[in-house]
Amino acid sequence: MCTASFQATHYKKAEFGSPLWRLGGTYEFALVRGADGWRITGVVMTATWGEGNR
């Protein structure tokens, strides 16, 4: 298992409100080691905060 933090900013023209939506959290990657190296076999994103116009 490998965990990485993320922060993402999304921009989309919106009819109402701000065009920005930001969020952050973690990715958890399931890993398997094979003969040719490591492979990602699964990923789970968990958003822990968000702000702006979803």
Side-chain angles (χ1 to χ4, degrees), residues 13-29:
K13 290 184 181 179
E15 186 174 345
F16 302 103
S18 169
L20 294 177
W21 175 42
R22 294 181 13 159
L23 70 152
T26 59
Y27 285 112
E28 288 190 6
F29 300 95

Side-chain angles (χ1 to χ4, degrees), residues 5-47:
S5 298
F6 77 90
Q7 179 177 319
T9 301
H10 300 264
Y11 178 86
K12 182 178 179 182
K13 290 184 181 179
E15 186 174 345
F16 302 103
S18 169
L20 294 177
W21 175 42
R22 294 181 13 159
L23 70 152
T26 59
Y27 285 112
E28 288 190 6
F29 300 95
L31 305 172
V32 171
R33 188 174 186 175
D36 57 347
W38 290 95
R39 300 238 180 221
I40 297 171
T41 59
V43 65
V44 174
M45 182 194 86
T46 303

